[in-house]
Amino acid sequence: MTTPLRADAARNRERLLAIARAAMTEGDLALQLNDIARRAKVGVGTVYRHFPTRRALVEALADGAFATLVDEARAASRHDDVWTGVEILLRALLLRQVADPAFAEVISTGPDQDATATTTEHREQWSAAARVVLERARQAGVLRPGLTDDDLHHLVCGTAFALRIGDEPTLRIDRYLRVLLDGIHAAERNGVNSGTAGLQARRARS
Amino acid sequence: MTTPLRADAARNRERLLAIARAAMTEGDLALQLNDIARRAKVGVGTVYRHFPTRRALVEALADGAFATLVDEARAASRHDDVWTGVEILLRALLLRQVADPAFAEVISTGPDQDATATTTEHREQWSAAARVVLERARQAGVLRPGLTDDDLHHLVCGTAFALRIGDEPTLRIDRYLRVLLDGIHAAERNGVNSGTAGLQARRARS
Amino acid sequence: MTTPLRADAARNRERLLAIARAAMTEGDLALQLNDIARRAKVGVGTVYRHFPTRRALVEALADGAFATLVDEARAASRHDDVWTGVEILLRALLLRQVADPAFAEVISTGPDQDATATTTEHREQWSAAARVVLERARQAGVLRPGLTDDDLHHLVCGTAFALRIGDEPTLRIDRYLRVLLDGIHAAERNGVNSGTAGLQARRARS
Amino acid sequence: MTTPLRADAARNRERLLAIARAAMTEGDLALQLNDIARRAKVGVGTVYRHFPTRRALVEALADGAFATLVDEARAASRHDDVWTGVEILLRALLLRQVADPAFAEVISTGPDQDATATTTEHREQWSAAARVVLERARQAGVLRPGLTDDDLHHLVCGTAFALRIGDEPTLRIDRYLRVLLDGIHAAERNGVNSGTAGLQARRARS
DNA sequence: AATGAATGAGCCTTCATTCAT
DNA sequence: GATGAATGAAGGCTCATTCAT
């Protein structure tokens, strides 16, 4: 009642984020701003002030997860074991997506658009940290050759998608991740059989 | 096929399908019936007569690809080499999705809802044929244990998704498919690093 | 197979009428021509050939009832007892409406529009016969003065409406008809109290 | 009344009601929300905000008449003369319908559906007040036996219908009302001709 | 005659966004 | 800043009617 306008606004912002997060978690991926306003018992105008577009709201929702991910990526880059670093990195990217649909949406989408400054920054920090991990893996020869950073990024997003389209995603995380990690690991495969030729090249047993 | 369509009706139907396919291929995944009508220079009613819902149209678009896929799956089941059968099977599933967004939508989606008879039938035939291939592979011990038919289905859809969210999907198909196939192959992995337990164990220490 | 075209058409016509009647009786008062065509497994065109407009169909449905009504009205005009004639006349008009929604629609509606020849004729015959009955009643002084033929017509339609808007119309027919007939009977009321002044004029007991 | 409407919103609401009332009075019983919006030179959304369904609009239009009717019914129940109370009650019910087509629609329709709270309340208040009047009349023996409250309700609605389907309804009100009131009055009828049995008996002979 | 495909006006409804209060 | 009423483009869908086959 004094003049804590900032506090007021901040409280509103958190309120909106909480409600939006709840909505998304409940599976309401449309996330209509009008709807959020109504649920939050706040005028639409207020929502628009804080989040001028649906995308802005989604990015705001994803911010926390994205920040955490950056930390995890940096931690991964400091890990002693190079391959374990890769595992930590990709597992983190996967887990964040499974846990947070807003983040999944942001990360599966190109950096284009009119992204938030924060999101752009996160994206760059994440790329940088990931680059370190993956480059080390390549140097060490533990990462299957021919896969770019983007490829790995896409593959993890694909794995998250694979989890989403089935029941009980969380129960399947480890299984699917294992498949991915083994798939991208530089194989002590008997040389011949990587690349496109795979279909006819046969390994030891058939 | 069901009812012998009148010549003009058949022509219209094909016209609509062609235009709808074009729209989807251009990336217009919304595929609004009104829009299709306008593009086809046809009354809305005509579109609704042929395809009472968006879903019906998408399924009609996917029909051809789905039929082909069933054939390919059956061919896979007849292949001499068991593992090659798996490769053919999954590669086919992936290729159809990359080539046809409508099919990708149908196949990534549960069988529920009020699906077309044709679609339902295709789905069953596909499942049956795939089951044969995968079961043989399990018997032969070439398929990584613990993966259900559904898991593999989801993983291929995830791979298709991974291709979609990057540039030039077609150029990356083989690379991503290789990763997947190696990931699901029963490994003569060198002990340490297989099994689900690996990562958690390591993380605990990190 | 010879060339019984007429027979063919006639059969179709009856078929359509039967189905339309069923539809109306089931409470589908919209009576959409497309719908009738579908139910009759006949092309829309066929329906339109026989009944160029919904109204034409409704009138055709009502024809039988209307013809019967004319007979009943003529019978009423021949009845020995003048007042009984009135009762028979109005009861018939009411019963036809309760039994046949199509007829109720036709009879509650002015003669205007582009009515069928048959309907117009029926309407005239009915009016003529009713006029006889009612005029006799007026001459005999048994009909409340001040009520025109049209008034009585409207009042019966109103009674039919009163039956329609409640449950179990048929069970209430006699009750409502009794009210109407007593209301229009020339009262051996004690003179004073007919006309608008009613509200304050009181009869014997209050 | 429920929520203190913003000045402009209230103005709009009244505007819409006025225009809708005009439309109905002109005989446009369809009362399409789009149409009202256009006539009012207002966005469709505005209409939908105030009246989410056609029914809501009709009920809003009827509110005033319904409230008045409740008052009139209560006044009727307080009248010294029992029969006069009945006359006042039914006359009021009839007049409101003739004056207001929206009210006529609401009152001729069952209480089911998703009615407005206000309407539901009015309906209950009206029923209660009417019950008092009619029960007193039954006790006093001035109301024809065998007629339920609903019967009387229906009969008045029927009378309103009878007025609607002819020209110059207002000029015929008293005439028709007189018929109804005499019809439902407990008759000191001269024996022969009262009771439901009368007509059938006679018809048997005809 | 019969058919039923095509037409398209037009109703219903939602929702992102603006802006007066 | 907050509010929420207003806006209206746009999509969904139905159905009376026409007309080529």
Side-chain angles (χ1 to χ4, degrees), chain D residues 5-21:
Chain D
L5 237 36
R6 230 166 64 181
D8 54 343
R11 219 176 308 127
N12 255 325
R13 188 170 197 281
E14 292 318 313
R15 178 105 164 294
L16 289 170
L17 283 173
I19 288 185
R21 195 180 313 279

Side-chain angles (χ1 to χ4, degrees), chain D residues 6 9 12 43 45-46 49-50:
Chain D
R6 230 166 64 181
N12 255 325
T46 305
R49 164 176 289 269
H50 288 290

Side-chain angles (χ1 to χ4, degrees), chain C residues 80-101:
Chain C
D80 298 334
D81 184 85
V82 177
W83 177 247
T84 305
V86 173
E87 290 192 337
I88 293 175
L89 182 81
L90 302 190
R91 160 171 272 257
L93 178 56
L94 184 61
L95 287 179
R96 293 295 144 228
Q97 291 185 65
V98 173
D100 186 343

